[in-house]
Amino acid sequence: MANPFRWCLVSQDCVLQINVVLAVVGLIILLDVFSHLYLKTVMFPGLNLYPVALRAWLFWVRVLTMVVYVLNAILGIRMARNTCVFKFAGYMLIGCVVLLYTFSIAVTRFMYRRRFEFFVQMMVLQMWIKDSLGKVEVEFGCCGKTSVVDYQKCSTNRTWASGSCCGEKNCPGCISKLTEYLWTIEMDVARDNIIVSLFLFVALIVMVAHFIDVQFQEESYDSDDSEETLTVRGDDMSTIKIGPSQSGHDGD
């Protein structure tokens, strides 16, 4: 019987390779997640409010998602050698859940821009109150929250960082600088999750095609084996029927 899915045949090597790629991509994205945590710890420590991309809960969600992503890829590598229904069902279930999480994280990074800008303003205000904006001023070449006027209106004897641009003309405020910079982090998170989603979507399609092919081959093999068994049994029956007549002639 011809295979109706022969146009989408997927070899074991293809399954192995796509899942190895998934594992490598997952590890690379996991490193990117930890780099964002390092940035938060070094540049913006001890704050109570952050934009979404730097919040602790999103960090743990991303870490957990990437770990499950890599483990699922390892399961796919094992399935390249031995495919069974339970492994396939587990792979597809975990893959669909991870795909949903990664896609939702990617999409939501493009939403709520005004809310994002509000949280950046609150973050800069916290740093201003705690007198910890100097490092940001030096790193991003900015001055105060909005401009050097923040130092002129400040009631305390606060002085700007020596490496900032507060003494120069047209020195921008740190809110605009940090809004631009932190938005790139939001886009990095979106990019990482879009890449992960695309690779995982392709892998799920490959695994479905491979599983269908393996199941069809097993059914075809079982069908051929049953036909051979029936043929042998038919021969045995004919032998049994012929046997007594032959022995009667021998007796005569």
Side-chain angles (χ1 to χ4, degrees):
M1 180 179 177
N3 186 355
F5 301 100
R6 59 182 178 275
W7 57 273
C8 61
L9 296 181
V10 177
S11 65
Q12 291 182 348
D13 292 337
C14 182
V15 173
L16 178 64
Q17 291 167 4
I18 189 64
N19 283 283
V20 168
V21 170
L22 285 186
V24 173
V25 170
L27 292 175
I28 293 174
I29 301 301
L30 193 59
L31 292 176
D32 201 23
V33 174
F34 282 103
S35 71
H36 290 156
L37 177 65
Y38 176 78
L39 171 68
K40 172 186 173 180
T41 304
V42 173
M43 292 298 300
F44 315 108
L47 302 180
N48 298 322
L49 194 64
Y50 295 94
V52 177
L54 296 180
R55 293 185 186 178
W57 69 266
L58 184 62
F59 166 75
W60 288 112
V61 167
R62 294 177 66 196
V63 169
L64 181 61
T65 302
M66 287 300 99
V67 170
V68 175
Y69 184 87
V70 173
L71 292 177
N72 199 42
I74 294 174
L75 175 60
I77 293 173
R78 294 179 62 88
M79 286 179 62
R81 299 304 180 101
N82 183 20
T83 304
C84 68
V85 177
F86 295 107
K87 289 182 180 180
F88 174 76
Y91 184 93
M92 295 301 297
L93 178 62
I94 296 172
C96 289
V97 172
V98 174
L99 181 62
L100 176 63
Y101 266 86
T102 54
F103 184 74
S104 62
I105 291 173
V107 170
T108 52
R109 294 310 90 227
F110 296 97
M111 303 169 64
Y112 310 115
R113 176 60 189 256
R114 290 185 179 179
R115 185 179 298 180
F116 162 78
E117 293 176 353
F118 170 77
F119 283 123
V120 174
Q121 293 176 11
M122 293 298 101
M123 188 181 74
V124 174
L125 181 60
Q126 289 179 85
M127 299 179 72
W128 177 258
I129 294 173
K130 293 184 177 183
D131 198 13
S132 60
L133 201 61
K135 183 186 296 185
V136 174
E137 290 177 330
V138 174
E139 183 69 25
F140 296 97
C142 57
C143 181
K145 301 188 299 295
T146 57
S147 65
V148 69
V149 70
D150 293 322
Y151 286 100
Q152 296 171 353
K153 292 182 177 180
C154 184
S155 59
T156 62
N157 295 324
R158 193 194 306 263
T159 57
W160 58 68
S162 59
S164 66
C165 67
C166 293
E168 303 175 4
K169 293 183 179 180
N170 301 323
C171 185
C174 290
I175 288 180
S176 60
K177 284 283 188 177
L178 280 179
T179 300
E180 180 182 353
Y181 176 72
L182 293 176
W183 183 249
T184 62
I185 296 180
E186 296 279 342
M187 293 300 98
D188 287 344
V189 174
R191 177 206 61 200
D192 292 346
N193 285 276
I194 288 174
I195 292 174
V196 167
S197 299
L198 289 176
F199 275 102
L200 183 56
F201 181 72
V202 173
L204 292 176
I205 294 177
V206 169
M207 294 302 295
V208 169
H210 177 68
F211 182 77
I212 291 175
D213 182 44
V214 169
Q215 289 297 109
F216 182 85
Q217 290 179 358
E218 290 180 355
E219 290 176 1
S220 177
Y221 175 78
D222 292 340
S223 178
D224 293 341
D225 184 55
S226 62
E227 289 178 359
E228 291 177 359
T229 304
L230 289 174
T231 303
V232 172
R233 288 179 179 176
D235 293 341
D236 291 341
M237 291 296 292
S238 62
T239 303
I240 293 172
K241 290 179 180 179
I242 296 172
S245 62
Q246 288 180 342
S247 60
H249 286 297
D250 292 339
D252 292 339

